[in-house]
Amino acid sequence: MAKATTTGAEGSALLRWIATSGLLLVVAVPCLFIIIQAIFPDIGSGSLAAPFSLFFRTLSDPDLFGLAGNTLLLGVGTVFFAALFAVPLAALRALFKVPGAIIWDALLLIPFMIPPYIAALGWIMTLQPHGYMEQVTGINLAGLIFSVPGIMIIMGLNTFSVVYFVLSRTFETIGARYSDVGRVFGAGQWRSFWRITFPLAMPGLAASLLLVFAMSIEEYGTPAALGRRIGFDVLVTGIENRISEWPIDLPGSATLSLVLVGMALVAFMIQRWLLTRRDYRIVSGKPQASDKRALGLWAVPVSLYFGFITFLATGLPILAILATALSRTISGGLTAENMGMDNFNELLGKGSEGLVALGNSLALGVSTALLAGLLGAITAYSVVKGRGRFRLVLDALSITPNSLPGVVVAVGIILAWNQPWLPITPYNTPFILLLAYICILLPQPVRYATASLHQLGDNLESAARVSGSGPLKAFIRIIFPLILPSMVTSMILVFAVASRELVASLLVAPIGFQTIAVYIWTQFDQGSAGLGMAMAFCAIMITTLIPLGLIGLLRWLSKGQVAGLN
Amino acid sequence: MTNSSQTALSIHSISMSYGANKVLDGIDVSLEAGKVLGLLGPSGCGKTTLLRLVSGLLLPDEGIIEIAGRAVAAPAKGIALPPEQRGLGMVFQDYALWPHMSVAKNVAFPLEMQRRSGAECRDRVAKALDRVGLGAMAERRPSDLSGGQQQRVAIARAIVAEPPLVLFDEPLSNLDRELRECMVEELSDLVADLNLSAVYVTHDHGEALTLADHVAVMRGGKIEQLACPDELVSNPATVAVADFLRLGCLLPADRNGDGWQVEGTSVRLPDGPVASAKSTLLLPERAMRLGSEGPAQFKARVLRAQTRSTGHALTLGIEGTNHLIRLVSAQRARIGDLIDISYSPEELRWFPA
Ligand SMILES: Nc1ncnc2c1ncn2[C@@H]1O[C@H](COP(=O)(O)OP(=O)(O)OP(=O)(O)O)[C@@H](O)[C@H]1O
Ligand SMILES: [Mg+2]
């Protein structure tokens, strides 16, 4: 080992151990069991017999090729539609004076708040035969939605906001800094857009599209809700199938998980590489006010276009959810007599199943946020302070979950904690959900904490150490309070996602234990779409309004306090 | 009291490298209690590194560091006390005040770490803040203070626990000149009043000479000279020290038969050391006068003249050479004039070439 060159800069050994053992428990154990299970099919009965026998059989299974191919197809198709929706909007937004630009921006944030499976259910209600679309316009588009391109379009509508925001900022920055230079040298506005702005924005565009790719191959709800009906299975649904339906195929699900993780990992690595390349930095600056061109006569069609896409991405799914939630019966259709609060009354009635599910999800969301936030802060601190090989391992463990889809985390947790020889196990208790959520969401607080740790001067901690405080106390008294504001923001995001997570909840929730997502999913499956959608509506409200309120409160409280942070 | 407890700091043959880069090489220093050691040197010479070694934020590769007679770092014996066990005070270049705590909380922190009672803390914090003239600002946030005030808070935090040794790492370099000059005086009064033992790092020789009882001039990881300010100015040990302190004009000289002259010219010099044939000569600024009354003279041409608040700053070229002299004179001189400069030969300093 390299000699210790520092005492003061090393940080607390206790925190290092907490970070290491936390990451081992939450991240390494599930990963390890997936790999072991994939290699030793009989590990469940304590046998290491026939290593790799099923591994290669699964890998050469034509099923696998079908699933992997469908996954790739879905990913690429979603990326295509996301780009198709996002690029023109972003270019218009960046280069022209779009009327109500701020409002469109705000509205386009909404897709982040609607879980994709809820949006997909909203689309089903709208476009299915005799759905709202047919009732209102008489047009039946059921053929479109229950098709592979239909799934891609809906997933594209769920994800294109990511691309839109990255790209419009990028276009604006580059436009102001470089494209104007091009115009000075005689290129017209369009020429300078195509020759300068667009090529310079490519890394940012590619990185955000890769994010969309990763999101879409990891998504369970939309392909499960729409694809099942037309026999379109992807890796995620294939894995879920193998682990939840008879005959249960653990080795198969483990092997498929490895394939899926491989794909996500590749996307994630390319994205990281794109974002850390030097030439991306030129576009990471603040957008500057530049003179955008007026739209003139085109103002109306452009506004209509913004309105149309925004309506498809946000208004339509929410309206469909609300309509279903307010309908006494689905068959009653969109008539005034059929509307009422019956579903909400039943959902929120005293002692109802729905209330229990809401309570469970809120409790789990809060616990996940607190624990993931704490573990994330400690991990980021240990990585930033760490040295040598130890630091590499910790860093790798903390970013691994970035490429672990929820379904894979669930498989790993089942494999790890459902072993018959374990004397005690959190399996079949709500704690297992906590483990799953923390693993899935850990990268979020780690990223926030790392960013804000890098902003703190080194000397703040040194000053505490010289003043007589040990490393642990220096963390508690100095570092943690200083990164707390940004940690709270990340914890709020964790809460919002954890409280309505779908696939891991479906797979690892103890029998009879309901969460928001499980409730919605089962109600919809059992034909009580109204109840399910009422819950969906409440979930969207609760999990967006609570965080938004908290963030606002936080901003207000921390005014002045964190002004001293550079 | 034993002899060792009167030594605030002693450093024996400390070395330290970053990888293959030896940043400190065999440093020896010791400091009596109640005295201030100035560490002076150009950027990158290892001043901050030495200070971090003393504070425990870094560990040396070899050597021994003792604070108030107690070994705090001695790799050979496996001693490596962490910073919090060394009982020091430290003032950082960037202040390093904690932005989430009030001024009073910042200053109280070292006392809290010693588990002092609340009443005692309040008392001593108020006293320390009064000392630096910030008694009225105890409840403010550091971010609401000016740079000079922030640095005063940092100083109060460093002295509040009355540590046996206070470390200053270029505490004034972030302040503008006027404030710096005024703070140097305040600091030197404070240090004298409290009878502090301190190590004061700076690259400004004015600060070092004002504040320190002993000054160590560092260069390339080594101590070039360790002496009191008077000695340093009148007897610089090497050309490098004389150059860094800007003591005057450095001239290459060689012996030509019966006497010395500026190398490559016919400008005559008084007698120097007899041993060698070549030498570098320091002609201290404070030894020179305008006029021909002194015991030895030479002629110089006025190249530049600026009016300053303290007199006229002249840049002169020694006639017949391209060596420059800078000096401040009460008399006015016109550009292009040829004037006499006189000096006393015993104030010349000769260094082996
Ligand atoms: N963490 C580090 N890793 C490698 N080299 C370092 C590190 N910190 C300092 N150095 C090197 O050690 C040498 C001494 O640095 P140090 O900070 O002690 O200089 P200094 O005298 O304080 O300079 P300044 O007046 O600019 O503050 C420099 O050459 C520097 O490049
Ligand atoms: Mg320094």
Side-chain angles (χ1 to χ4, degrees):
Chain A
M1 212 194 96
K3 94 192 144 65
T5 47
T6 50
T7 48
E10 256 178 354
S12 155
L14 176 66
L15 294 180
R16 208 153 56 228
W17 285 114
I18 293 178
T20 314
S21 39
L23 285 178
L24 286 177
L25 179 76
V26 172
V27 179
V29 164
C31 291
L32 194 69
F33 271 87
I34 291 179
I35 296 172
I36 294 178
Q37 178 71 69
I39 297 175
F40 304 104
D42 296 325
I43 188 75
S45 40
S47 152
L48 297 182
F52 289 107
S53 57
L54 286 181
F55 184 70
F56 289 117
R57 200 191 307 159
T58 312
L59 278 187
S60 53
D61 186 345
D63 259 15
L64 172 71
F65 289 108
L67 292 176
N70 284 350
T71 303
L72 266 181
L73 181 70
L74 182 63
V76 171
T78 304
V79 165
F80 172 78
F81 282 108
L84 191 69
F85 298 133
V87 175
L89 286 186
L92 285 169
R93 169 79 176 82
L95 300 178
F96 296 95
K97 286 185 186 134
V98 176
I102 305 283
I103 298 173
W104 297 128
D105 277 4
L107 289 176
L108 285 172
L109 280 172
I110 296 179
F112 290 119
M113 305 167 191
I114 310 176
Y117 64 91
I118 293 184
L121 298 182
W123 277 100
I124 293 180
M125 298 309 298
T126 309
L127 293 188
Q128 68 187 353
H130 311 296
Y132 300 129
M133 177 89 173
E134 200 177 342
Q135 289 179 41
V136 174
T137 65
I139 303 170
N140 180 351
L141 285 180
L144 175 62
I145 183 175
F146 295 113
S147 73
V148 177
I151 301 175
M152 292 170 178
I153 291 175
I154 287 173
M155 289 178 66
L157 282 171
N158 282 332
T159 49
F160 82 96
S161 298
V162 178
V163 186
Y164 167 81
F165 282 109
V166 171
L167 212 54
S168 61
R169 293 294 120 82
T170 314
F171 281 161
E172 263 182 22
T173 318
I174 300 175
R177 284 180 54 187
Y178 296 94
S179 162
D180 287 357
V181 180
R183 295 180 64 191
V184 170
F185 288 108
Q189 176 145 21
W190 279 111
R191 280 271 290 272
S192 108
F193 179 77
W194 284 115
R195 294 285 303 277
I196 298 169
T197 306
F198 200 74
L200 279 173
M202 273 318 278
L205 174 63
S208 60
L209 288 179
L210 276 162
L211 185 62
V212 167
F213 179 82
M215 285 162 78
S216 60
I217 65 174
E218 295 179 9
E219 164 68 8
Y220 169 77
T222 315
L226 296 169
R228 285 271 162 87
R229 303 209 191 174
I230 53 170
F232 180 76
D233 259 316
V234 289
L235 281 170
V236 176
T237 51
I239 295 167
E240 195 267 350
N241 223 346
R242 277 169 170 68
I243 202 144
S244 65
E245 258 149 60
W246 203 253
I248 285 174
D249 176 12
L250 293 179
S253 66
T255 311
L256 291 184
S257 294
L258 288 182
V259 175
L260 180 60
V261 170
M263 287 166 73
L265 200 61
V266 170
F268 176 66
M269 299 291 239
I270 301 177
Q271 192 212 0
R272 221 167 127 103
W273 175 74
L274 279 173
L275 288 180
T276 49
R277 267 176 12 153
R278 214 178 322 129
D279 56 352
Y280 184 68
R281 265 197 227 137
I282 54 170
V283 298
S284 62
K286 269 194 200 141
Q288 292 145 335
S290 65
D291 8 287
K292 298 179 182 177
R293 288 234 256 170
L295 279 164
L297 271 184
W298 286 91
V300 174
V302 165
S303 300
L304 284 178
Y305 180 58
F306 264 83
F308 177 65
I309 300 281
T310 311
F311 177 72
L312 287 188
T314 63
L316 185 141
I318 291 188
L319 284 180
I321 290 164
L322 201 57
T324 313
L326 291 175
S327 300
R328 294 209 167 86
T329 63
I330 301 300
S331 51
L334 281 175
T335 57
E337 314 83 74
N338 193 31
M339 296 287 129
M341 298 299 283
D342 300 21
N343 285 319
F344 286 100
N345 290 339
E346 186 181 342
L347 174 74
L348 303 174
K350 230 184 181 167
S352 76
E353 236 181 292
L355 267 187
V356 175
L358 266 172
N360 284 340
S361 274
L362 294 188
L364 277 169
V366 170
S367 327
T368 307
L370 291 176
L371 288 173
L374 201 60
L375 182 59
I378 293 175
T379 302
Y381 171 82
S382 303
V383 170
V384 169
K385 288 275 155 191
R387 305 257 170 257
R389 207 174 305 158
F390 169 81
R391 174 198 174 119
L392 282 182
V393 172
L394 214 55
D395 194 21
L397 272 180
S398 70
I399 60 170
T400 302
N402 273 308
S403 46
L404 290 184
V407 70
V408 173
V409 171
V411 169
I413 280 179
I414 292 172
L415 293 176
W417 298 108
N418 201 16
Q419 297 290 340
W421 47 264
L422 283 175
I424 51 161
T425 167
Y427 203 77
N428 256 326
T429 72
F431 289 106
I432 198 77
L433 282 169
L434 204 55
L435 274 180
Y437 293 166
I438 294 176
C439 180
I440 294 171
L441 292 163
L442 190 63
Q444 194 72 258
V446 170
R447 200 173 311 139
Y448 272 72
T450 308
S452 72
L453 280 174
H454 281 303
Q455 280 189 356
L456 297 182
D458 252 356
N459 280 346
L460 291 179
E461 191 181 6
S462 299
R465 298 294 303 277
V466 175
S467 302
S469 133
L472 184 62
K473 223 177 220 162
F475 177 81
I476 296 172
R477 292 288 308 273
I478 309 294
I479 304 289
F480 191 71
L482 286 175
I483 64 173
L484 191 61
S486 74
M487 289 316 294
V488 171
T489 312
S490 82
M491 280 151 72
I492 288 170
L493 292 177
V494 167
F495 166 81
V497 180
S499 55
R500 52 204 198 186
E501 199 282 340
L502 175 64
V503 61
S505 318
L506 285 176
L507 287 176
V508 304
I511 296 154
F513 187 86
Q514 297 253 5
T515 68
I516 288 178
V518 173
Y519 183 88
I520 296 173
W521 201 249
T522 44
Q523 292 302 329
F524 204 82
D525 252 8
Q526 294 163 4
S528 322
L531 263 186
M533 292 295 100
M535 175 64 113
F537 189 78
C538 292
I540 293 177
M541 288 299 129
I542 292 172
T543 56
T544 44
L545 291 187
I546 292 182
L548 282 181
L550 275 177
I551 288 179
L553 187 70
L554 196 73
R555 286 245 171 92
W556 181 74
L557 278 180
S558 66
K559 224 185 259 171
Q561 274 201 26
V562 276
L565 290 171
N566 26 17
Chain B
M1 268 203 209
T2 64
N3 190 30
S4 66
S5 68
Q6 285 165 354
T7 313
L9 171 69
S10 98
I11 295 176
H12 298 293
S13 47
I14 283 291
S15 294
M16 149 99 207
S17 359
Y18 282 114
N21 175 16
K22 197 151 195 176
V23 177
L24 290 176
D25 187 6
I27 302 278
D28 276 291
V29 176
S30 92
L31 178 71
E32 271 174 66
K35 300 279 184 198
V36 178
L37 170 70
L39 281 180
L40 185 60
S43 185
C45 68
K47 307 178 298 286
T48 297
T49 307
L50 185 55
L51 212 59
R52 292 176 80 86
L53 286 175
V54 174
S55 67
L57 295 167
L58 286 173
L59 287 181
D61 298 340
E62 50 192 86
I64 301 174
I65 301 175
E66 289 176 8
I67 294 174
R70 179 171 65 140
V72 293
K77 293 189 216 153
I79 299 177
L81 287 191
E84 61 268 23
Q85 287 171 27
R86 297 190 181 195
L88 300 170
M90 187 160 176
V91 180
F92 294 83
Q93 184 171 0
D94 56 0
Y95 323 136
L97 297 178
W98 302 303
H100 60 304
M101 299 183 187
S102 68
V103 165
K105 287 266 164 58
N106 263 280
V107 176
F109 192 85
L111 297 174
E112 252 180 76
M113 291 302 123
Q114 297 179 356
R115 299 177 194 288
R116 306 287 169 150
S117 72
E120 188 188 347
C121 278
R122 270 192 299 282
D123 246 31
R124 290 174 68 173
V125 167
K127 231 164 74 195
L129 282 175
D130 280 338
R131 275 221 158 274
V132 295
L134 290 180
M137 312 208 173
E139 292 317 314
R140 290 220 204 162
R141 296 250 162 209
S143 52
D144 300 341
L145 300 179
S146 74
Q149 291 168 333
Q150 292 190 26
Q151 196 54 295
R152 275 174 235 211
V153 177
I155 292 167
R157 181 176 68 184
I159 58 167
V160 69
E162 292 168 16
L165 182 66
V166 183
L167 309 175
F168 295 88
D169 188 2
E170 307 204 23
L172 306 182
S173 64
N174 273 352
L175 306 177
D176 53 42
R177 211 178 76 161
E178 217 166 303
L179 187 57
R180 197 157 64 215
E181 278 162 11
C182 140
M183 293 263 313
V184 169
E185 282 166 21
E186 267 179 43
L187 248 183
S188 110
D189 290 348
L190 183 80
V191 166
D193 277 3
L194 295 175
N195 198 24
L196 287 183
S197 313
V199 180
Y200 189 96
V201 166
T202 176
H203 59 253
D204 179 312
H205 48 269
E207 260 174 48
L209 298 180
T210 314
L211 274 164
D213 300 297
H214 302 281
V215 176
V217 181
M218 292 182 63
R219 186 165 154 258
K222 291 197 166 105
I223 291 187
E224 198 88 349
Q225 184 174 13
L226 174 56
C228 63
D230 267 346
E231 171 77 5
L232 210 57
V233 170
S234 57
N235 267 323
T238 62
V239 176
V241 173
D243 186 34
F244 183 71
L245 296 178
R246 299 221 205 103
L247 293 177
C249 177
L250 286 160
L251 300 168
D254 55 9
R255 188 144 56 158
N256 187 345
D258 50 339
W260 287 85
Q261 60 193 30
V262 177
E263 199 177 84
T265 72
S266 57
V267 177
R268 305 286 306 175
L269 293 166
D271 266 355
V274 274
S276 59
K278 272 179 180 296
S279 173
T280 301
L281 176 74
L282 169 68
L283 181 57
E285 185 181 330
R286 60 182 194 168
M288 292 185 269
R289 307 268 177 282
L290 258 61
S292 55
E293 291 86 57
Q297 307 104 30
F298 58 87
K299 290 202 174 298
R301 196 170 291 281
V302 180
L303 302 176
R304 239 174 286 148
Q306 292 168 331
T307 307
R308 295 255 176 88
S309 53
T310 49
H312 302 276
L314 307 178
T315 306
L316 310 169
I318 301 178
E319 188 64 0
T321 75
N322 45 19
H323 295 291
L324 298 181
I325 300 175
R326 288 185 181 82
L327 60 94
V328 178
S329 119
Q331 285 159 265
R332 175 191 300 272
R334 264 185 306 149
I335 293 176
D337 279 359
L338 195 62
I339 55 176
D340 283 315
I341 303 285
S342 59
Y343 61 93
S344 34
E346 63 270 23
E347 294 204 61
L348 293 186
R349 294 291 169 262
W350 300 79
F351 304 102

PDB file of all heavy atoms in Angstrom, chain B residues 202-217:
ATOM      1  N   THR B 202       4.570  33.848   4.425  1.00  0.00           N
ATOM      2  CA  THR B 202       4.235  34.939   3.518  1.00  0.00           C
ATOM      3  C   THR B 202       5.224  34.961   2.371  1.00  0.00           C
ATOM      4  O   THR B 202       6.297  34.367   2.444  1.00  0.00           O
ATOM      5  CB  THR B 202       4.265  36.286   4.257  1.00  0.00           C
ATOM      6  OG1 THR B 202       4.036  37.326   3.325  1.00  0.00           O
ATOM      7  CG2 THR B 202       5.613  36.511   4.918  1.00  0.00           C
ATOM      8  N   HIS B 203       4.854  35.596   1.275  1.00  0.00           N
ATOM      9  CA  HIS B 203       5.870  35.830   0.253  1.00  0.00           C
ATOM     10  C   HIS B 203       6.199  37.317   0.165  1.00  0.00           C
ATOM     11  O   HIS B 203       6.876  37.762  -0.736  1.00  0.00           O
ATOM     12  CB  HIS B 203       5.436  35.266  -1.101  1.00  0.00           C
ATOM     13  CG  HIS B 203       4.166  35.863  -1.599  1.00  0.00           C
ATOM     14  ND1 HIS B 203       2.976  35.167  -1.604  1.00  0.00           N
ATOM     15  CD2 HIS B 203       3.888  37.076  -2.091  1.00  0.00           C
ATOM     16  CE1 HIS B 203       2.028  35.942  -2.070  1.00  0.00           C
ATOM     17  NE2 HIS B 203       2.543  37.101  -2.378  1.00  0.00           N
ATOM     18  N   ASP B 204       5.684  38.078   1.141  1.00  0.00           N
ATOM     19  CA  ASP B 204       5.902  39.513   1.169  1.00  0.00           C
ATOM     20  C   ASP B 204       6.962  39.808   2.231  1.00  0.00           C
ATOM     21  O   ASP B 204       6.725  39.622   3.426  1.00  0.00           O
ATOM     22  CB  ASP B 204       4.567  40.179   1.519  1.00  0.00           C
ATOM     23  CG  ASP B 204       4.675  41.691   1.601  1.00  0.00           C
ATOM     24  OD1 ASP B 204       5.605  42.203   2.257  1.00  0.00           O
ATOM     25  OD2 ASP B 204       3.798  42.352   1.022  1.00  0.00           O
ATOM     26  N   HIS B 205       8.164  40.277   1.796  1.00  0.00           N
ATOM     27  CA  HIS B 205       9.216  40.387   2.806  1.00  0.00           C
ATOM     28  C   HIS B 205       8.939  41.508   3.795  1.00  0.00           C
ATOM     29  O   HIS B 205       9.340  41.428   4.938  1.00  0.00           O
ATOM     30  CB  HIS B 205      10.594  40.528   2.165  1.00  0.00           C
ATOM     31  CG  HIS B 205      10.673  41.538   1.076  1.00  0.00           C
ATOM     32  ND1 HIS B 205      10.444  41.211  -0.236  1.00  0.00           N
ATOM     33  CD2 HIS B 205      10.928  42.849   1.087  1.00  0.00           C
ATOM     34  CE1 HIS B 205      10.571  42.285  -0.982  1.00  0.00           C
ATOM     35  NE2 HIS B 205      10.851  43.301  -0.206  1.00  0.00           N
ATOM     36  N   GLY B 206       8.195  42.523   3.370  1.00  0.00           N
ATOM     37  CA  GLY B 206       7.830  43.578   4.303  1.00  0.00           C
ATOM     38  C   GLY B 206       7.076  43.015   5.494  1.00  0.00           C
ATOM     39  O   GLY B 206       7.401  43.284   6.657  1.00  0.00           O
ATOM     40  N   GLU B 207       6.073  42.179   5.200  1.00  0.00           N
ATOM     41  CA  GLU B 207       5.287  41.546   6.270  1.00  0.00           C
ATOM     42  C   GLU B 207       6.184  40.719   7.180  1.00  0.00           C
ATOM     43  O   GLU B 207       6.098  40.808   8.406  1.00  0.00           O
ATOM     44  CB  GLU B 207       4.257  40.599   5.649  1.00  0.00           C
ATOM     45  CG  GLU B 207       2.872  41.152   5.540  1.00  0.00           C
ATOM     46  CD  GLU B 207       1.974  40.184   4.781  1.00  0.00           C
ATOM     47  OE1 GLU B 207       1.966  38.986   5.096  1.00  0.00           O
ATOM     48  OE2 GLU B 207       1.299  40.640   3.850  1.00  0.00           O
ATOM     49  N   ALA B 208       7.034  39.918   6.568  1.00  0.00           N
ATOM     50  CA  ALA B 208       7.875  39.024   7.367  1.00  0.00           C
ATOM     51  C   ALA B 208       8.795  39.834   8.272  1.00  0.00           C
ATOM     52  O   ALA B 208       8.938  39.529   9.457  1.00  0.00           O
ATOM     53  CB  ALA B 208       8.691  38.115   6.459  1.00  0.00           C
ATOM     54  N   LEU B 209       9.396  40.869   7.706  1.00  0.00           N
ATOM     55  CA  LEU B 209      10.349  41.636   8.508  1.00  0.00           C
ATOM     56  C   LEU B 209       9.643  42.392   9.620  1.00  0.00           C
ATOM     57  O   LEU B 209      10.180  42.578  10.714  1.00  0.00           O
ATOM     58  CB  LEU B 209      11.128  42.605   7.612  1.00  0.00           C
ATOM     59  CG  LEU B 209      11.975  41.930   6.516  1.00  0.00           C
ATOM     60  CD1 LEU B 209      12.706  42.968   5.684  1.00  0.00           C
ATOM     61  CD2 LEU B 209      12.957  40.930   7.111  1.00  0.00           C
ATOM     62  N   THR B 210       8.411  42.845   9.381  1.00  0.00           N
ATOM     63  CA  THR B 210       7.666  43.561  10.413  1.00  0.00           C
ATOM     64  C   THR B 210       7.252  42.639  11.551  1.00  0.00           C
ATOM     65  O   THR B 210       7.338  43.005  12.719  1.00  0.00           O
ATOM     66  CB  THR B 210       6.379  44.169   9.826  1.00  0.00           C
ATOM     67  OG1 THR B 210       6.701  44.800   8.605  1.00  0.00           O
ATOM     68  CG2 THR B 210       5.743  45.138  10.781  1.00  0.00           C
ATOM     69  N   LEU B 211       6.767  41.458  11.195  1.00  0.00           N
ATOM     70  CA  LEU B 211       6.103  40.623  12.194  1.00  0.00           C
ATOM     71  C   LEU B 211       7.021  39.661  12.917  1.00  0.00           C
ATOM     72  O   LEU B 211       6.785  39.311  14.069  1.00  0.00           O
ATOM     73  CB  LEU B 211       5.006  39.801  11.506  1.00  0.00           C
ATOM     74  CG  LEU B 211       3.665  40.483  11.355  1.00  0.00           C
ATOM     75  CD1 LEU B 211       2.817  39.746  10.349  1.00  0.00           C
ATOM     76  CD2 LEU B 211       2.968  40.512  12.704  1.00  0.00           C
ATOM     77  N   ALA B 212       8.054  39.195  12.221  1.00  0.00           N
ATOM     78  CA  ALA B 212       8.756  38.025  12.747  1.00  0.00           C
ATOM     79  C   ALA B 212       9.980  38.413  13.576  1.00  0.00           C
ATOM     80  O   ALA B 212      10.636  39.410  13.319  1.00  0.00           O
ATOM     81  CB  ALA B 212       9.171  37.133  11.586  1.00  0.00           C
ATOM     82  N   ASP B 213      10.255  37.568  14.588  1.00  0.00           N
ATOM     83  CA  ASP B 213      11.489  37.717  15.341  1.00  0.00           C
ATOM     84  C   ASP B 213      12.621  37.018  14.607  1.00  0.00           C
ATOM     85  O   ASP B 213      13.767  37.424  14.681  1.00  0.00           O
ATOM     86  CB  ASP B 213      11.321  37.101  16.729  1.00  0.00           C
ATOM     87  CG  ASP B 213      10.213  37.781  17.485  1.00  0.00           C
ATOM     88  OD1 ASP B 213      10.337  38.991  17.746  1.00  0.00           O
ATOM     89  OD2 ASP B 213       9.197  37.117  17.786  1.00  0.00           O
ATOM     90  N   HIS B 214      12.271  35.920  13.952  1.00  0.00           N
ATOM     91  CA  HIS B 214      13.241  35.221  13.116  1.00  0.00           C
ATOM     92  C   HIS B 214      12.594  34.962  11.776  1.00  0.00           C
ATOM     93  O   HIS B 214      11.416  34.661  11.714  1.00  0.00           O
ATOM     94  CB  HIS B 214      13.641  33.881  13.728  1.00  0.00           C
ATOM     95  CG  HIS B 214      14.223  34.027  15.089  1.00  0.00           C
ATOM     96  ND1 HIS B 214      15.515  34.421  15.313  1.00  0.00           N
ATOM     97  CD2 HIS B 214      13.655  33.861  16.312  1.00  0.00           C
ATOM     98  CE1 HIS B 214      15.739  34.491  16.600  1.00  0.00           C
ATOM     99  NE2 HIS B 214      14.618  34.166  17.248  1.00  0.00           N
ATOM    100  N   VAL B 215      13.393  35.072  10.738  1.00  0.00           N
ATOM    101  CA  VAL B 215      12.835  34.822   9.414  1.00  0.00           C
ATOM    102  C   VAL B 215      13.635  33.718   8.748  1.00  0.00           C
ATOM    103  O   VAL B 215      14.873  33.755   8.748  1.00  0.00           O
ATOM    104  CB  VAL B 215      12.898  36.094   8.539  1.00  0.00           C
ATOM    105  CG1 VAL B 215      12.410  35.796   7.137  1.00  0.00           C
ATOM    106  CG2 VAL B 215      12.078  37.200   9.172  1.00  0.00           C
ATOM    107  N   ALA B 216      12.902  32.725   8.236  1.00  0.00           N
ATOM    108  CA  ALA B 216      13.564  31.678   7.455  1.00  0.00           C
ATOM    109  C   ALA B 216      13.267  31.956   5.993  1.00  0.00           C
ATOM    110  O   ALA B 216      12.106  31.985   5.588  1.00  0.00           O
ATOM    111  CB  ALA B 216      13.047  30.303   7.860  1.00  0.00           C
ATOM    112  N   VAL B 217      14.297  32.186   5.205  1.00  0.00           N
ATOM    113  CA  VAL B 217      14.078  32.387   3.769  1.00  0.00           C
ATOM    114  C   VAL B 217      14.217  31.029   3.100  1.00  0.00           C
ATOM    115  O   VAL B 217      15.237  30.363   3.232  1.00  0.00           O
ATOM    116  CB  VAL B 217      15.103  33.378   3.191  1.00  0.00           C
ATOM    117  CG1 VAL B 217      14.833  33.576   1.709  1.00  0.00           C
ATOM    118  CG2 VAL B 217      15.012  34.694   3.931  1.00  0.00           C
TER     119      VAL B 217
END
